Amino acid sequence: MMTLWASAAILAASPAAASQADLDRMAATMGYRYTILTNRPASCPTGTPRCFEADIAITIPDAVPGVPFEIRYSLVNPVLRIDSDLFDNRTVNGDLNVLTVKPGRSLKPGQTYHVRLTAVGAFFSRNHMMPHATLAAPGLSPRVIAATRTGTDAETGLETLPFVAPMTDEAALARSAPDDRTVWRTPERAYALYAERGALAAPVDVAILPKPMTATRPGGPSVDLAKGVAVTTSGIDRAAIAPALTALAVGQGAVPVTIRRQAGMSPEGYRLTVGKGGVAIDAADAAGASYALRSLAQQIAAEGTVLRPLMVQDAPRYGFRGLHIDLARNFHSKAEILKLIEQMAAYKLNRLHLHLGDDEGWRLQIAGLPELTEVGAYRCADLSEKTCLQPQLGADPARDAATNGYLTAADYGEILHAAAARQIEVIPSFDMPGHSRAAIRSMEVRYQRLIAKGDRAGAERYRLVEPGDTTRYSSVQHYDDNTLNVCIDSTYRFIDAVIDDIAALHKAAGVPLTTYHIGADETAGAWKDSPACKVTMAREGLQPQQLGARFIERVASDLAKRGIAVAGWSDGLGHTDPARMPSAVQTNIWSNLHGGGVAEAHGQANRGWKTVLSIPDLGYFDMPYAADPNETGYDWASRGVDSFQVFGFMPGNLAANAALIPNILAQPKPIADTVPLQSGRAIAGIQAQLWSETVRRDSQVDYMLFPRLLALAERAWAKPDWEPAYVAGTAYEPNDARVDRARLLAGWGDFAGRMGVQMRMLDRAGVTYRLAPPGARIAGGRLEANAEFPGTPIEYRTGGTAWRRYDGPVAVTGAVDLRTRTPDGRRASRTVTVSP
């Protein structure tokens, strides 16, 4: 999750002053092109194991004002060196670097200059490049360089980056590691993959997703719901299931639908019976009744309103079935969150983890601390950060840009109401003590405001830094000022104020705050030279690296006193002393399966903590769907997490996933159960994560989540047939025969068969889910094509002619373009090309 901004000072020949109009013209006409050259350079700077090379071509307009200019632009990875006759480079902080013209050099009008960059790591996707490079000059308002603005693809509706050159050379753009087995998902490779996976796919009789425990078809006459329904409830408040009733989309009438609370059923469980002239639902609780109605709505979408008799007995495998959405890195609208809440309910997810505070943004209004949103919710061109945060992650610096903003207290209340009405718990998250730069900078603005008024006590009340702290550190995102000082009282006053305000918002909405996520991950090596921390360490006999754990223990205890359970990411929580932690702890496991995730999950479950699997190589939906330079998403954890990989996950036997899931280098590797799960301990559930560094639009949120969120919902709800029973200490090999691949493929075929109905429902709900491009090959002069989900419409064209529907193998000459379409025909996938 690394991102780098830079700033280039371009000096013209004359010192004459420029006007705002001059700057505007230059921003409107300047050329800008980014090209990734290779991930396999001949050498990297000393001490750097992996690097890549890229080129930025800057074309100077014919008329150049004679004053210094800056071009602020973003890269995904830190710059190691610059190869340029004109420019030098220095790092400022975090994402911000400065390119300066070398002394005695100048830039000429009409010329194109190339800046060759060597940077850390690898660059696998066109979409890692951040947009909105900005032209700035002293005394003038900065302007976005028009060439670097995002575009919108007319066919897919997705964001485009027109200034980024295509990435077409698979050999040059492969990882430099010689043992990396990753290959791009070309149409030919996709064709073979889809053929293997889809061989058993067939139309399904019961379309419910997640798959019920049992579903049978008894005999008897059909039930015609087109006549309208008459709903009666017993033991379950009708208001508690109102959204699920609305989702039926069936009017009032005479067909009886009886809904009753039934003792003795598993929590959230239900029995749905269609037949004998009506519908009967027995449910453990309001959640179970809602889920029964959601299942009924899906079956109506599949069969129509005339339903054959059906009996479904159902209950979830896991009580925690979650979705995490990051609003901090890039803001996403209230409307998008409300839409997602409805889709969560449709697929029986019951925890919404809202990530509302991080380095790049603070997204919830807090009473009494207005700077948090007045400053911390916006990124603009004010590098002094007196009115906003630095322009990170390619955000449009306009204050009204979609990536800027926050949820008002009223917005948050509306979200809480909508979630509670659908039996979804909202878990707010503000990362601390690291990942806190937005809060720190906002509170510094508050400090300066009150100091200017002579109110030193008020200014220092919520200050989050210690002026005398000279510790130098660098966070994962390369900030040197993003970590709260955990040894000063004002830090805890700030945290208390935030927690109490959020608890009050929950209380006002009638939805008590029961879990609060503190993050607690990726804390850099701070505090070593803090005077306050030196006192704390001397008093308690601690080392600097132990201070983070003590901070977590203290905040967790403070939350417990309020009746609120603490939640956090597993790396930070793992450093705490369990004896100093409350009994109620939620830990989100985010280590990879091949990177210690199995031991971490079992170890923290063995502490008695509520252990939620948030594992990146199947649950981080900011990873790309496939290894393809045109797919969006960071790839530090996986080059490809597609719906099949998510669907195949075995949460009840983590080591067994070695049979199906390779490591980051696409290498099949064994997994040993080195820390067995103790008797009586269990995994609490699964959560999907969407971090938003590269996700700027609400439509991209949909694209990254769907359809693989449906696969995760299935795994959180239903135990897979191919999952071997867990035996403590058992190791698994790649392609292990104890994992029944035939059953996996049969299960996938059933899931794929249900996806046709679900895609139609997503279309109606306005969800811009990802359409996988078709697989295709040309064999013997005939085009053969297939889709990830059988039945998805496929179109093709040759030589730029009109698109035609693909209905089966067809004779072609030359290269062929292909794409898939949504069932409603409104959107298309990316276009791919296959050649003879």
Side-chain angles (χ1 to χ4, degrees):
M1 295 183 283
M2 296 182 292
T3 302
L4 181 69
W5 274 80
S7 171
I10 298 181
L11 303 182
S14 165
S19 69
Q20 187 68 55
D22 294 331
L23 185 75
D24 293 352
R25 279 194 298 272
M26 191 171 184
T29 57
M30 176 177 282
Y32 191 100
R33 185 73 163 171
Y34 177 82
T35 304
I36 171 67
L37 301 173
T38 181
N39 286 317
R40 308 172 68 89
S43 64
C44 294
T46 302
T48 304
R50 292 193 299 127
C51 64
F52 70 91
E53 293 178 352
D55 176 82
I56 298 178
I58 300 170
T59 301
I60 307 302
D62 289 339
V64 184
V67 294
F69 291 93
E70 289 185 347
I71 298 178
R72 302 168 187 160
Y73 64 98
S74 172
L75 284 173
V76 175
N77 303 67
V79 175
L80 294 169
R81 68 183 177 213
I82 299 294
D83 182 10
S84 170
D85 293 334
L86 292 168
F87 296 98
D88 288 322
N89 183 79
R90 67 180 176 89
T91 301
V92 178
N93 182 29
D95 297 334
L96 191 64
N97 276 257
V98 176
L99 285 168
T100 56
V101 174
K102 295 178 179 180
R105 304 304 298 268
S106 62
L107 304 180
K108 298 179 180 179
Q111 297 294 308
T112 297
Y113 296 93
H114 292 268
V115 178
R116 191 181 183 103
L117 303 174
T118 302
V120 173
F123 203 100
F124 295 127
S125 170
R126 295 182 68 246
N127 296 297
H128 287 183
M129 189 60 189
M130 301 296 174
H132 301 119
T134 303
L135 192 66
L140 301 178
S141 298
R143 293 290 185 261
V144 172
I145 297 171
T148 66
R149 287 195 177 275
T150 61
T152 302
D153 185 281
E155 294 297 330
T156 66
L158 296 174
E159 179 186 85
T160 61
L161 300 176
F163 65 98
V164 182
M167 298 171 67
T168 58
D169 188 339
E170 184 174 4
L173 299 176
R175 192 192 303 266
S176 58
D179 54 350
D180 188 356
R181 301 186 186 181
T182 304
V183 295
W184 290 0
R185 188 167 293 183
T186 63
E188 293 85 356
R189 291 168 183 155
Y191 180 85
L193 197 63
Y194 297 158
E196 175 193 358
R197 295 175 177 176
L200 300 177
V204 295
D205 182 44
V206 178
I208 298 168
L209 196 157
K211 187 176 181 66
M213 293 172 60
T214 64
T216 57
R217 289 287 199 179
S222 297
V223 176
D224 187 359
L225 299 181
K227 302 174 183 178
V229 298
V231 178
T232 59
T233 64
S234 175
I236 292 176
D237 185 355
R238 183 166 179 150
I241 57 175
L245 286 168
T246 299
L248 281 181
V250 177
Q252 295 184 354
V255 179
V257 175
T258 60
I259 302 172
R260 301 173 298 183
R261 183 184 295 274
Q262 181 68 52
M265 301 184 77
S266 298
E268 303 181 284
Y270 68 90
R271 181 168 53 249
L272 168 66
T273 305
V274 178
K276 298 181 179 180
V279 177
I281 292 172
D282 296 317
D285 44 34
S290 293
Y291 296 151
L293 290 166
R294 298 288 183 172
S295 294
L296 180 61
Q298 291 180 0
Q299 199 58 32
I300 291 171
E303 286 189 67
T305 53
V306 179
L307 297 179
R308 292 164 44 222
L310 173 67
M311 180 175 289
V312 173
Q313 187 81 32
D314 207 5
R317 182 183 192 184
Y318 292 114
F320 190 112
R321 305 179 302 281
L323 171 62
H324 162 283
I325 299 294
D326 172 16
L327 304 188
R329 268 55 179 274
N330 281 307
F331 185 63
H332 299 293
S333 71
K334 178 184 72 174
E336 177 67 13
I337 300 303
L338 293 174
K339 181 173 72 174
L340 290 176
I341 287 171
E342 173 62 16
Q343 293 308 309
M344 289 177 67
Y347 297 106
K348 305 179 176 70
L349 299 171
N350 64 358
R351 299 291 194 281
L352 175 60
H353 178 171
L354 286 180
H355 187 66
L356 297 166
D358 211 294
D359 293 326
E360 295 82 11
W362 184 282
R363 307 300 184 182
L364 179 62
Q365 183 180 30
I366 300 297
L369 298 174
E371 288 85 359
L372 284 172
T373 45
E374 290 174 358
V375 177
Y378 296 91
R379 296 196 293 265
C380 69
D382 175 15
L383 300 188
S384 72
E385 298 188 296
K386 295 178 180 178
T387 60
C388 65
L389 301 180
Q390 294 173 359
Q392 310 291 338
L393 298 174
D396 187 330
R399 197 166 180 87
D400 61 354
T403 48
N404 280 329
Y406 61 94
L407 299 174
T408 66
D411 291 337
Y412 190 66
E414 188 176 344
I415 287 169
L416 291 176
H417 278 294
R422 293 161 177 81
Q423 294 77 45
I424 295 169
E425 177 188 348
V426 175
I427 301 174
S429 171
F430 297 87
D431 218 331
M432 60 177 83
H435 286 280
S436 294
R437 192 173 189 276
I440 290 169
R441 300 313 306 163
S442 298
M443 290 300 94
E444 284 300 285
V445 172
R446 178 185 184 276
Y447 173 84
Q448 295 298 335
R449 175 176 63 82
L450 293 177
I451 282 291
K453 293 182 176 181
D455 183 4
R456 177 167 294 276
E460 293 179 346
R461 181 167 181 78
Y462 298 120
R463 198 176 191 189
L464 301 176
V465 297
E466 181 187 20
D469 186 357
T470 59
T471 310
R472 309 312 303 165
Y473 62 89
S474 180
S475 75
V476 175
Q477 283 78 25
H478 315 291
Y479 296 111
D480 62 10
D481 58 354
N482 79 331
T483 304
L484 306 179
N485 189 304
V486 299
C487 302
I488 56 178
D489 292 339
S490 52
T491 289
Y492 298 95
R493 283 195 293 267
F494 171 81
I495 293 169
D496 286 344
V498 169
I499 292 172
D500 288 343
D501 187 72
I502 295 171
L505 293 177
H506 278 252
K507 184 178 180 180
V511 184
L513 176 62
T514 57
T515 305
Y516 184 93
H517 202 288
I518 66 170
D521 65 318
E522 295 182 341
T523 300
W527 316 308
K528 178 174 65 71
D529 296 319
S530 158
C533 287
K534 286 181 179 180
V535 171
T536 299
M537 289 186 287
R539 183 179 65 244
E540 300 186 27
L542 301 174
Q543 296 298 314
Q545 61 270 22
Q546 296 174 290
L547 291 172
R550 286 299 174 91
F551 167 85
I552 295 168
E553 292 161 4
R554 175 172 172 174
V555 175
S557 176
D558 289 345
L559 284 166
K561 292 173 183 176
R562 295 173 167 88
I564 302 169
V566 67
W569 299 105
S570 53
D571 58 338
L573 294 184
H575 294 298
T576 63
D577 179 353
R580 297 173 64 95
M581 292 290 284
S583 58
V585 176
Q586 176 189 313
T587 177
N588 289 87
I589 306 298
W590 72 279
S591 294
N592 278 25
L593 286 169
H594 292 278
V598 177
E600 189 170 66
H602 289 174
Q604 297 196 8
N606 289 342
R607 294 184 177 191
W609 293 353
K610 179 187 290 186
T611 301
V612 179
L613 301 178
S614 302
I615 295 173
D617 32 13
L618 66 104
Y620 266 44
F621 291 170
D622 51 307
M623 299 295 121
Y625 279 88
D628 186 305
N630 295 303
E631 286 292 339
T632 298
Y634 277 175
D635 44 43
W636 59 267
S638 178
R639 294 286 299 280
V641 179
D642 66 5
S643 297
F644 181 84
Q645 182 158 307
V646 178
F647 177 83
F649 179 54
M650 294 170 280
N653 191 342
L654 293 176
N657 288 286
L660 304 175
I661 300 177
N663 67 9
I664 183 62
L665 300 179
Q667 300 166 329
K669 291 285 186 178
I671 298 178
D673 184 19
T674 57
V675 181
L677 197 61
Q678 296 172 2
S679 176
R681 301 303 188 189
I683 299 299
I686 311 176
Q687 179 171 282
Q689 284 67 227
L690 180 63
W691 301 99
S692 66
E693 289 96 330
T694 63
V695 182
R696 287 172 286 274
R697 301 185 182 185
D698 289 352
S699 59
Q700 287 178 284
V701 172
D702 290 357
Y703 181 94
M704 299 304 285
L705 288 178
F706 298 92
R708 52 189 171 183
L709 184 62
L710 276 63
L712 183 133
E714 178 117 340
R715 285 290 66 78
W717 185 270
K719 181 179 179 179
D721 291 343
W722 53 92
E723 179 184 290
Y726 175 73
V727 177
T730 303
Y732 286 82
E733 299 289 330
N735 301 310
D736 200 300
R738 289 170 290 181
V739 175
D740 192 331
R741 189 168 182 85
R743 287 194 175 191
L744 166 62
L745 291 175
W748 172 255
D750 177 72
F751 178 85
R754 285 176 281 147
M755 277 302 300
V757 172
Q758 307 305 328
M759 290 165 74
R760 293 197 297 272
M761 295 184 75
L762 292 172
D763 282 343
R764 289 197 292 270
V767 176
T768 54
Y769 56 90
R770 177 186 184 255
L771 279 165
R777 68 180 183 182
I778 297 176
R782 293 174 66 80
L783 172 68
E784 299 175 352
N786 57 12
E788 179 181 37
F789 300 119
T792 304
I794 299 174
E795 297 176 336
Y796 74 100
R797 69 181 179 189
T798 58
T801 58
W803 289 100
R804 287 173 282 181
R805 174 72 177 254
Y806 174 84
D807 294 314
V810 60
V812 294
T813 57
V816 182
D817 297 331
L818 297 104
R819 65 187 186 186
T820 50
R821 270 208 170 276
T822 55
D824 67 5
R826 295 183 181 180
R827 293 188 299 115
S829 73
R830 287 190 291 106
T831 297
V832 295
T833 302
V834 63
S835 300

